[in-house]
Amino acid sequence: PPPPLINPDGTEDTSLHIGWRTEFRSMEMQLTDFENAAFTAFVVLTTRVIIAFDLNLYIPLSRVDANMQRAHSRNAAANGKFFFRRHMAPLEEGDDGFGVRYTSMFSAASNGGMRRTQSGSQFNEVDTDGISERRKNAPFHMGANEEENSYEEMTMAEIMTGKGDYFPGLIPLIRAYLDYIKCDTFTLARVNQYMDLIEKRASGVLVTPATWMRKFVREHPGYKNDSVITEAIAYDLMVACKEIGEGTRHVPELLGDLTFDQITTEGAYDVKLDSKLVHDNCQLLDLLKRYSGRISSERSTNEKSFRRQSSSGAW
């Protein structure tokens, strides 16, 4: 079980525990703010997907170590294969005419089926270890839950977009989650841009920053194919990275059609974040009144429409 809860007096409460903690280890900093935002949003949304859809992504730690080693290979994002869990959700029991057959609950969505899994408050309840009744009561399929058969090798494109009818992919799951929570149109449009970038990177349509940097060095006039990065090459590479980050250099093979406004120091926020105590309460109340009274145009329009319908007896 997870570590026990520590009481204020320092003693351990063995009847309760703090729950497991999961650490996401993302890649290094990207060249643009957009890329950093995309991967940050992806990681956060993946955590919500795992919790909301009760998914299990466990694989043996030895395979996690193997994935780390494989990730160091050249162009691993586009050409490499990584161990990933085959069935993230409990299997469902069916009948193929020759006995009991177990399939992924996701296959119904992939094959256009309308089968519904069990639902109801009792079935969706979780125990003290955070395990749902749906998962605990799922049929056990020999081979699906055994350590050596719970995972398989997948490309990054398959991990992100799906494989067969049993593994839907992380990006479709994120899109399903956004639909589930009824994400607003403005946010959804931006997140879709983020997901499109990640999908294109995973499929090899767009190169990774590492691939672009290697190409830049190989094509530099000062490179002699001797694995020596001279000061001139390093300087030109840093200038190019700076220009990409500031939006003054567009690299289609890295970012596709994405373009960004140039980042400048003009109008930068240079006011010190003062922490002096506000002694004038009237000034504070005036500021609060000014900003608490703000209503978005959409909300204002909706409220006016509601009042008109109410006065006309439409309700």
Side-chain angles (χ1 to χ4, degrees):
L5 187 68
I6 304 299
N7 294 319
D9 58 2
T11 59
E12 294 184 354
D13 187 347
T14 56
S15 64
L16 297 172
H17 57 70
I18 64 173
W20 290 113
R21 298 296 186 265
T22 302
E23 177 186 57
F24 274 85
R25 294 191 176 185
S26 58
M27 67 300 302
E28 66 276 0
M29 288 282 289
Q30 305 295 295
L31 295 177
T32 65
D33 292 342
F34 184 91
E35 294 167 278
N36 289 320
F39 286 109
T40 300
F42 174 81
V43 168
V44 173
L45 288 171
T46 300
T47 65
R48 300 302 186 271
V49 164
I50 294 172
I51 295 172
F53 295 161
D54 192 23
L55 302 184
N56 178 8
L57 272 67
Y58 289 162
I59 62 172
L61 191 57
S62 60
R63 293 301 180 234
V64 176
D65 293 336
N67 285 343
M68 294 289 286
Q69 294 297 324
R70 294 184 179 194
H72 294 157
S73 301
R74 182 174 299 179
N75 208 20
N79 299 330
K81 285 194 173 183
F82 302 91
F83 294 105
F84 212 83
R85 190 171 183 87
R86 179 184 291 117
H87 296 295
M88 297 185 291
L91 299 176
E92 292 186 337
E93 185 174 337
D95 188 350
D96 59 2
F98 299 95
V100 176
R101 174 172 171 265
Y102 298 95
T103 60
S104 167
M105 62 175 284
F106 295 124
S107 63
S110 300
N111 298 323
M114 296 299 292
R115 185 184 350 168
R116 299 282 183 178
T117 57
Q118 287 180 273
S119 60
S121 59
Q122 180 179 1
F123 201 69
N124 291 325
E125 290 178 353
V126 298
D127 61 14
T128 56
D129 291 323
I131 302 175
S132 68
E133 290 296 323
R134 177 170 66 88
R135 184 172 294 284
K136 289 200 299 184
N137 288 281
F140 180 82
H141 168 36
M142 293 301 295
N145 296 308
E146 294 174 355
E147 180 177 310
E148 293 301 321
N149 295 297
S150 62
Y151 56 87
E152 65 180 75
E153 292 181 306
M154 299 185 192
T155 65
M156 190 58 63
E158 290 170 336
I159 293 173
M160 291 297 175
T161 63
K163 182 177 182 180
D165 64 354
Y166 57 92
F167 185 82
L170 299 181
I171 291 178
L173 282 169
I174 287 175
R175 296 188 193 278
Y177 171 75
L178 293 173
D179 192 357
Y180 168 73
I181 64 173
K182 296 179 175 57
C183 179
D184 65 273
T185 305
F186 177 82
T187 303
L188 184 61
R190 177 49 60 93
V191 173
N192 280 334
Q193 287 183 314
Y194 293 158
M195 297 302 109
D196 288 343
L197 173 68
I198 294 174
E199 182 178 338
K200 290 177 180 178
R201 288 275 177 87
S203 63
V205 174
L206 298 178
V207 301
T208 63
T211 298
W212 174 80
M213 289 181 186
R214 285 194 297 269
K215 180 175 180 289
F216 182 93
V217 171
R218 286 196 305 266
E219 295 179 351
H220 193 280
Y223 184 61
K224 307 302 181 183
N225 294 317
D226 54 2
S227 299
V228 176
I229 308 299
T230 63
E231 290 185 7
I233 297 174
Y235 175 80
D236 291 342
L237 176 60
M238 292 300 100
V239 170
C241 291
K242 176 177 178 291
E243 291 173 348
I244 292 173
E246 292 179 345
T248 58
R249 176 189 290 230
H250 179 56
V251 183
E253 64 267 28
L254 184 65
L255 298 168
D257 297 331
L258 293 171
T259 57
F260 312 106
D261 294 334
Q262 182 177 351
I263 298 175
T264 67
T265 57
E266 183 180 355
Y269 186 81
D270 57 358
V271 178
K272 181 182 177 181
L273 298 179
D274 203 343
S275 58
K276 291 188 301 184
L277 183 64
V278 178
H279 296 284
D280 188 351
N281 289 336
C282 293
Q283 180 186 11
L284 174 59
L285 293 176
D286 287 341
L287 290 170
L288 288 174
K289 182 178 180 181
R290 181 190 308 172
Y291 291 102
S292 62
R294 284 188 174 182
I295 300 176
S296 66
S297 58
E298 181 179 356
R299 179 182 171 189
S300 179
T301 302
N302 291 339
E303 289 181 351
K304 290 179 180 178
S305 175
F306 176 81
R307 285 196 292 269
R308 285 198 299 269
Q309 292 178 4
S310 299
S311 61
S312 62
W315 300 93

